[in-house]
Amino acid sequence: MSSEVAARCDAKKLVRSPSGLRMVPEHRAFGSPFGLEEPQWVPDKECPRCMQCDAKFDFLTRKHHCRRCGKCFCDKCCGQKVALPRMCFVDPVRQCSACALVSRKEAEFFDKQLRVLLSGATFLVTFGNSEKSETMVCRLSNNQRYLLLDGDSHHEIEVAHISTVQTLTEGFPTGGGNARATGMSLQYSVPGSEGMSQLKLTAGEDANGSRRPSTVWLVAMHKAAKLLCESRDQ
């Protein structure tokens, strides 16, 4: 892809919706695969009462729409303003208590884990049924739309075309706890090709001989896969 084409794909514009200001891609097809569409608001005439506490709306009890779910609530049940990057809002927006909790949990992904994915890590990569592995650095592209694998060869996998993500683990820590991630298996489709392709990532050592960066990257990718499924199921 030329730099000019890439620039057009990554171009964004500022738009105003009933929910607030959003910085969205110029072309919808180039949006983040982790994004969510703005919900349709429940019409005012269909919600005479708060959809959480059942308080009746009147001159003193005003109704508000949650920017994440679109339902109607009173100010007490929908008074929190929380960042919502999955919908590209520029500023924190009003959300109901349930949605605000979810958005705060997602903030860890966008504040921390997304940076890990963008930075990349070293893996032993096996494509399909090959018996040979190649040492490659795997990272998420800046526009969040591709997994980039660089070693002796270069590969790009469109995140939206990933259908299955399976984290590979080994053992259980002494005293209990979660198993340690050692790799990941991905199934994905390739435009113009029939069937599914597959690759396996096995945690590799960085320049300091540590596997920790690749393990942290696998954890972040596991969270990304969950968000990807949510975006598809919306």
Side-chain angles (χ1 to χ4, degrees):
M1 183 182 292
S2 69
S3 59
E4 182 179 349
V5 173
R8 288 202 301 268
C9 292
D10 294 339
K12 295 185 177 182
K13 61 182 178 181
L14 188 65
V15 299
R16 181 180 293 278
S17 73
S19 298
L21 285 174
R22 302 171 65 219
M23 185 66 73
V24 301
E26 284 278 3
H27 303 282
R28 186 175 179 180
F30 299 136
S32 168
F34 308 118
L36 293 173
E37 294 292 335
E38 264 193 284
Q40 291 290 326
W41 283 10
V42 174
D44 287 348
K45 62 182 180 181
E46 294 181 12
C47 50
R49 294 177 177 273
C50 174
M51 300 179 79
Q52 180 167 319
C53 72
D54 204 39
K56 184 177 180 180
F57 295 127
D58 54 29
F59 181 74
L60 295 178
T61 306
R62 306 294 297 274
K63 69 180 61 175
H64 302 279
H65 286 86
C66 172
R67 272 48 174 176
R68 184 176 181 119
C69 68
K71 296 179 180 179
C72 288
F73 302 92
C74 65
D75 183 68
K76 182 179 179 181
C77 296
C78 192
Q80 303 180 63
K81 290 191 175 182
V82 182
L84 188 47
R86 294 185 74 183
M87 290 185 188
C88 304
F89 284 110
V90 175
D91 301 307
V93 291
R94 188 183 292 271
Q95 297 180 53
C96 67
S97 54
C99 286
L101 180 61
V102 174
S103 293
R104 286 195 174 97
K105 288 182 178 179
E106 290 175 350
E108 181 181 358
F109 173 78
F110 286 94
D111 292 342
K112 298 179 181 179
Q113 293 168 322
L114 183 58
R115 295 180 184 178
V116 170
L117 294 175
L118 293 170
S119 297
T122 302
F123 294 92
L124 293 176
V125 182
T126 307
F127 291 92
N129 297 319
S130 175
E131 297 181 356
K132 294 182 179 181
S133 297
E134 180 179 346
T135 300
M136 309 183 83
V137 172
C138 183
R139 67 178 180 85
L140 188 68
S141 64
N142 290 334
N143 60 15
Q144 305 171 22
R145 297 182 59 239
Y146 296 91
L147 279 183
L148 307 177
L149 298 103
D150 288 292
D152 291 337
S153 60
H154 173 78
H155 298 266
E156 297 184 3
I157 299 172
E158 193 163 356
V159 172
H161 291 165
I162 296 174
S163 60
T164 305
V165 176
Q166 180 182 4
T167 301
L168 309 176
T169 60
E170 74 173 18
F172 290 89
T174 302
N178 297 322
R180 183 168 61 91
T182 59
M184 181 170 284
S185 177
L186 304 175
Q187 284 191 330
Y188 58 97
S189 60
V190 178
S193 301
E194 295 183 1
M196 304 297 294
S197 298
Q198 181 174 318
L199 69 80
K200 178 182 176 182
L201 303 173
T202 302
E205 297 181 349
D206 63 10
N208 297 317
S210 173
R211 285 191 171 88
R212 188 176 184 280
S214 56
T215 301
V216 173
W217 194 95
L218 290 170
V219 173
M221 187 60 193
H222 179 72
K223 176 62 176 179
K226 290 185 176 181
L227 297 185
L228 183 62
C229 289
E230 290 174 5
S231 297
R232 290 173 176 165
D233 293 340
Q234 186 185 34

